[in-house]
Amino acid sequence: MIIAANFKTNHTRLSTIEYLEKLDNFLIKYSIKDEVFVFPPFTALDIYNISDKINIGVQNAYPAYKGSFTGEIGLLQLEEFKIKNIIIGHSERRHIFKESNEFIVEKFKFFKDHDFRIIYCVGEPKSQREKGFSAVMEYIYSQLENIDLNYDKLIVAYEPVWAIGTGLSAKKEDIKEVMDALREDIKAPLLYGGSVKPDNAKDILSVKNCDGLLIGTASWDVDSFCEIINISKMLAEEK
Ligand code: 13P
């Protein structure tokens, strides 16, 4: 399984270091086999003194090596910290920062050309969900247009907009329906994100075709994130 923590605009440089040390000790102590990702804010990026059990990535970046892009971070800045993982197309980038699908596709192509592991996010808003399953899939496929689904470093995260940060996760059956449909066209790992917590992680991780979780709120506390990783470990042992 892949278990990823998206810090969004949370944690400082100091608290990120403390978090990563605690997480790293946990992963080593319990011989965790899951692939674990952490996406801290830019200001907390560093060459951390941790094992290679944690993959560090960025939540966003500008599709250029360097240049005049005020307020943005390019490849040059990521190279300094040996970053090779990125989240692209997160719903907060799409909706709050009005990133168009064209721009998101441009980012995807740029970071694919630079060999990044890409967590590419898709997911429908509430209005689309209310129209039913075909409308949901139509929306998701429009977000996948011009994305190379055969890219070997692609991970797709299904994050319904209405489930993000609301405490209201999608139902197991709804997640399964979307994952099953995506699996027909996508070989890449499929993650679910949206109000994942220790309480519902087991149910969601048991969904067929769900290969992991992209977690916001419940990942910001290291104990809660470790609890979810532990649930994944126990599930694997049950199999
Ligand atoms: P929450 O877990 O806070 O709902 O956020 C999900 C998310 O957006 C992860 O990228």
Side-chain angles (χ1 to χ4, degrees):
M1 289 286 173
I2 294 172
I3 313 285
N6 178 3
F7 279 11
K8 307 190 180 184
T9 316
N10 296 278
H11 279 292
T12 61
R13 186 175 189 75
L14 187 61
S15 70
T16 298
I17 291 171
E18 287 168 357
Y19 181 109
L20 291 173
E21 283 173 357
K22 217 168 162 186
L23 175 62
D24 198 34
N25 287 337
F26 171 84
L27 300 179
I28 293 167
K29 184 170 173 193
Y30 294 99
S31 310
I32 299 296
K33 300 209 172 53
D34 284 329
E35 240 188 309
V36 174
F37 287 80
V38 176
F39 294 88
F42 287 134
T43 57
L45 291 182
D46 210 335
I47 302 285
Y48 308 105
N49 188 17
I50 49 171
S51 76
D52 60 4
K53 283 181 168 287
I54 306 178
N55 300 285
I56 301 291
V58 285
Q59 304 165 22
N60 176 45
Y62 195 78
Y65 183 66
K66 59 177 188 165
S68 299
F69 307 104
T70 301
E72 294 290 324
I73 299 283
L75 188 59
L76 172 66
Q77 288 78 33
L78 301 183
E79 279 179 354
E80 184 178 13
F81 299 109
K82 305 195 172 8
I83 299 294
K84 293 300 280 179
N85 305 298
I86 186 168
I87 297 176
I88 294 179
H90 192 279
S91 95
E92 284 148 18
R93 303 281 340 157
R94 292 179 191 267
H95 298 283
I96 303 175
F97 302 104
K98 311 283 178 236
E99 283 190 12
S100 67
N101 225 39
E102 291 70 43
F103 185 48
I104 290 169
V105 167
E106 188 186 329
K107 284 190 185 184
F108 182 91
K109 289 190 173 143
F110 181 85
F111 287 100
K112 177 191 157 201
D113 286 347
H114 291 90
D115 212 32
F116 273 57
R117 251 355 244 288
I118 298 176
I119 299 193
Y120 184 76
C121 302
V122 296
E124 80 286 358
K126 195 161 188 278
S127 55
Q128 205 67 15
R129 167 57 64 179
E130 282 163 354
K131 289 185 204 155
F133 178 65
S134 330
V136 168
M137 290 317 295
E138 199 179 304
Y139 191 90
I140 292 176
Y141 275 105
S142 74
Q143 295 177 316
L144 289 169
E145 232 169 81
N146 299 317
I147 297 297
D148 177 4
L149 299 178
N150 294 315
Y151 177 46
D152 63 353
K153 294 200 168 124
L154 169 68
I155 299 169
V156 174
Y158 169 54
E159 300 204 300
V161 180
W162 47 273
I164 296 178
T166 58
L168 187 81
S169 154
K171 288 203 289 295
K172 203 176 162 178
E173 308 77 64
D174 292 336
I175 300 172
K176 181 179 182 310
E177 208 175 17
V178 171
M179 296 300 194
D180 286 352
L182 289 176
R183 178 57 79 225
E184 286 179 22
D185 301 298
I186 302 174
K187 290 188 300 293
L190 302 174
L191 313 186
Y192 169 79
S195 297
V196 174
K197 301 170 261 215
D199 282 0
N200 58 20
K202 185 173 179 190
D203 261 9
I204 299 171
L205 283 170
S206 345
V207 168
K208 187 176 160 232
N209 289 323
C210 177
D211 305 304
L213 304 168
L214 177 55
I215 311 163
T217 316
S219 74
W220 305 337
D221 173 64
V222 67
D223 293 327
S224 148
F225 190 55
C226 290
E227 201 179 333
I228 296 175
I229 295 170
N230 197 41
I231 290 167
S232 169
K233 177 180 157 75
M234 286 184 330
L235 259 180
E237 285 166 358
E238 276 173 25
K239 277 183 190 159

